[in-house]
Amino acid sequence: MPAATRTRWAVIGATSVALVATGCGSSGSGGGSADAGKTFSYQSSEPQNPLQPANANEVGGGRISQNLFKGLADYDPDNGKLRMQMADKIDTTDSKTFNVTLKSGWTFHDGTPVKAKNFVDAWNWAATTANNQINSSWFSDIQGYTDVHPKSGAATKTTMSGLTVVDDTHFTIVLNNTVSYFPYKLGYVAFSPLPDGFFADPTGYGQKPVGNGPYQFVSWEHNSQVVTKAFANYQGVDKPKNGGVVFKMYTTAEAAYADLQSNNLDVMDQVPPSALANYKNDLGDRAIDAPQGSIQNIGFTLYQSDWAGANKAKVRQGLSMAIDRDTITKTVLQNSRKPASSWVAEGVEGYKEGICGDSCKFDATKAKQLITEGGGVPNNKLLITYNADGGHKEWVDAVCNSIRQSTGVDCAGDPKTDFKTARAAITGHTINGAFRTGWQQDYPLNANFLADVYRTGAASNDFGYSSPQFDQLANTADQAASVQASVTGYQAAEAVLAQDFPAIPLWYYRTNSGYSTKVQNVKFDSFGNPAWTQVEVKG
């Protein structure tokens, strides 16, 4: 699930999505004066890929990259409203051609100025096949994308015709077709600018990135920590109130929670399931319980013959009906999650309750019947791959127990050491059967949960799912005359998922987190991220 800066564009209309974050203003120790020069630590995971903006579509690399880089705009973490960052304005009259005007005075961390050319060069490089960027498909709306990223074979060009530099502070974006919500995407970390020096040594810059964001890279001790410091010349509206962030890698959420309680970790990502019952009592007013635009799913390896074919959709529907979501969310997850009934998270524009239908309702008898009609689970055994460092064991075991008791299918968890290892196995297609997957919004529209995950060839389509019907409906939705029409169009596309069932929706997330007595003013947004620059370290 990507994690990065997200945006929406005010010109194309306000949405009804509520992006309200809750948190505490000061710690239970009574607050204290802040020291803007001190760093704070955050629970993280080893990035799957080098720290190149278009190579980060998972939380380990995404959260670090979004702090090292800053794009055209992002969201105010307090109210979710659009705020301009590098862009002074983005104009369009037809939702196909966009004229970007940059603010002056921005520099990269190496002191070189950020120009329109740095955006255009970065996007062209990221989109080009030879550069093997996992988020390259994010640029597919732009005219000329197929020249730099053909469906097969080598690229015939290295630049997209839809990108034109006008001068140092102006460039234009021309799309293949009208995309009413395209500006929503432009805050995603893949659309960050890159300094001129990057292109001479992309590999080196991936290990020692030079960005233009609020924090500057200091060091990366692999599988241990990434250290950043506040960038003194940062020109954004969210200037850091602290000296930097240390992203500490943990192999288990339990270890991170123990460190939080002993003040050896300042801010958590998510408390482990084992702590959900007591974390509010443990932390008092330093506990966080905030809404989050995220969903937990179980995906399938549809690229394998055992799971291919229309009939296997019945098997996946049956497995879904064998999962007692209500009991698991109430007991194992301590009411910190809500059972899912669609593939789009609650609170996101276009969320429609119940699209999954009966397939997301617990019914052991019907589950067994559908699995039989679909030809059964291969070898009557299901492995669910997951990362052991993320606090997932408890619920994976509970899901498997529910499936075993309901259907007789031999279900078991397949833990991988850490998130990076699990993601490598999933994207490398070296697993069999099923895997834990989730999605955290990149922009608050249902299109993000659908097109960017289930469209044929999408960067985060780890299932090998390909449906001409879904793709056609998604394309029609993209070209709708308004954002609301696009939203409605994507609801029609989502209904196709209820037939094909490439993934099982489990539950919607909340941010259940907390912070140490060393920090204050810790707030989380609807993307599940703290307002990094606003965290204050006590003196």
Side-chain angles (χ1 to χ4, degrees):
M1 79 182 148
T5 307
R6 290 84 166 171
T7 188
R8 59 178 174 173
W9 182 235
V11 152
I12 49 179
T15 66
S16 61
V17 63
L19 298 178
V20 181
T22 60
C24 307
S26 62
S27 77
S29 62
S33 60
D35 187 335
K38 286 188 175 181
T39 62
F40 72 94
S41 57
Y42 183 81
Q43 175 196 1
S44 188
S45 57
E46 177 71 4
Q48 180 187 4
N49 300 309
L51 293 173
Q52 301 158 327
N55 228 356
N57 78 337
E58 37 71 45
V59 292
R63 283 178 173 152
I64 297 170
S65 295
Q66 70 170 301
N67 281 292
L68 298 175
F69 295 88
K70 188 62 68 176
L72 299 173
D74 65 6
Y75 285 112
D76 187 321
D78 292 327
N79 56 32
K81 292 183 179 180
L82 178 83
R83 61 182 183 188
M84 292 292 98
Q85 289 286 9
M86 274 222 64
D88 182 53
K89 57 184 178 179
I90 306 172
D91 295 324
T92 184
T93 58
D94 59 4
S95 294
K96 182 177 180 180
T97 298
F98 297 86
N99 299 304
V100 179
T101 302
L102 301 179
K103 295 173 183 173
S104 300
W106 281 66
T107 67
F108 288 104
H109 300 149
D110 61 4
T112 58
V114 186
K115 302 177 181 179
K117 175 179 182 292
N118 296 107
F119 279 93
V120 170
D121 288 351
W123 299 4
N124 279 322
W125 186 89
T128 300
T129 301
N131 297 321
N132 197 32
Q133 297 293 283
I134 199 167
N135 283 324
S136 57
S137 66
W138 278 79
F139 302 94
S140 61
D141 292 318
I142 300 174
Q143 199 172 88
Y145 174 77
T146 54
D147 292 333
V148 303
H149 202 112
K151 290 183 178 180
S152 61
T156 58
K157 296 181 180 179
T158 57
T159 60
M160 292 180 279
S161 59
L163 296 178
T164 303
V165 175
V166 178
D167 56 37
D168 285 351
T169 58
H170 296 84
F171 69 99
T172 60
I173 309 165
V174 181
L175 307 184
N176 294 307
N177 302 289
T178 297
V179 180
S180 62
Y181 66 92
F182 179 74
Y184 276 66
K185 299 183 176 184
L186 289 177
Y188 186 52
V189 73
F191 291 96
S192 299
L194 291 168
D196 294 342
F198 171 90
F199 304 100
D201 185 16
T203 300
Y205 272 69
Q207 296 301 314
K208 296 181 179 180
V210 174
N212 66 321
Y215 297 104
Q216 184 173 354
F217 176 83
V218 175
S219 64
W220 183 359
E221 185 180 347
H222 286 278
N223 300 303
S224 177
Q225 63 181 19
V226 169
V227 178
T228 71
K229 66 178 181 180
F231 178 44
N233 196 36
Y234 178 60
Q235 299 297 307
V237 299
D238 53 335
K239 295 185 185 299
K241 295 181 180 179
N242 52 68
V245 187
V246 178
F247 295 88
K248 296 177 69 172
M249 317 307 177
Y250 285 90
T251 56
T252 68
E254 288 76 13
Y257 188 62
D259 269 4
L260 182 75
Q261 290 179 290
S262 60
N263 276 336
N264 291 317
L265 174 70
D266 293 317
V267 184
M268 281 209 74
D269 176 20
Q270 290 272 11
V271 300
S274 58
L276 284 171
N278 299 312
Y279 87 102
K280 291 182 181 179
N281 289 330
D282 292 342
L283 301 177
D285 62 2
R286 292 182 290 111
I288 298 284
D289 184 1
Q292 184 183 129
S294 303
I295 188 172
Q296 185 79 267
N297 304 318
I298 293 174
F300 291 87
T301 53
L302 306 187
Y303 48 82
Q304 294 179 318
S305 58
D306 283 347
W307 290 101
N311 222 31
K312 287 300 179 183
K314 286 188 174 183
V315 176
R316 296 188 291 273
Q317 289 169 332
L319 290 170
S320 177
M321 296 183 79
I323 299 171
D324 188 350
R325 293 166 178 79
D326 287 338
T327 298
I328 294 171
T329 53
K330 288 175 182 175
T331 57
V332 177
L333 297 172
Q334 296 292 318
N335 287 313
S336 65
R337 310 285 187 267
K338 181 179 178 180
S341 63
S342 75
W343 285 264
V344 175
E346 276 192 316
V348 173
E349 184 77 357
Y351 164 73
K352 186 176 182 180
E353 186 176 5
I355 283 186
C356 183
D358 289 342
S359 296
C360 284
K361 298 176 181 177
F362 179 59
D363 186 334
T365 301
K366 184 69 172 177
K368 196 178 297 185
Q369 176 187 333
L370 284 171
I371 290 172
T372 301
E373 290 177 1
V377 172
N379 301 315
N380 202 44
K381 184 176 179 65
L382 181 70
L383 288 178
I384 302 177
T385 299
Y386 67 95
N387 54 301
D389 62 343
H392 302 295
K393 182 181 187 302
E394 290 86 353
W395 71 257
V396 171
D397 288 347
V399 164
C400 276
N401 285 337
S402 187
I403 290 173
R404 276 197 306 271
Q405 293 171 11
S406 300
T407 66
V409 171
D410 182 14
C411 181
D414 174 31
K416 302 300 180 185
T417 306
D418 52 30
F419 188 73
K420 178 181 180 180
T421 304
R423 288 299 302 161
I426 292 166
T427 58
H429 292 180
T430 60
I431 63 172
N432 294 296
F435 54 93
R436 180 202 81 81
T437 184
W439 192 257
Q440 181 186 54
Q441 65 184 15
D442 298 307
Y443 49 94
L445 280 180
N446 59 349
N448 180 229
F449 285 78
L450 300 171
D452 297 315
V453 183
Y454 299 103
R455 196 198 298 265
T456 301
S460 295
N461 185 342
D462 297 324
F463 325 100
Y465 175 61
S466 180
S467 164
Q469 184 183 8
F470 178 91
D471 291 348
Q472 181 181 1
L473 288 169
N475 291 339
T476 300
D478 282 350
Q479 297 172 43
S482 67
V483 174
Q484 189 53 55
S486 290
V487 164
T488 302
Y490 268 106
Q491 289 174 336
E494 187 179 7
V496 177
L497 301 183
Q499 302 168 13
D500 297 343
F501 240 80
I504 295 174
L506 292 177
W507 37 75
Y508 309 123
Y509 267 95
R510 288 185 68 82
T511 297
N512 302 109
S513 181
Y515 53 95
S516 76
T517 62
K518 296 179 180 179
V519 294
Q520 60 190 15
N521 197 35
V522 180
K523 300 178 181 180
F524 278 72
D525 61 21
S526 65
F527 300 100
N529 297 322
W532 310 93
T533 60
Q534 303 309 297
V535 174
E536 297 176 358
V537 183
K538 295 180 184 179

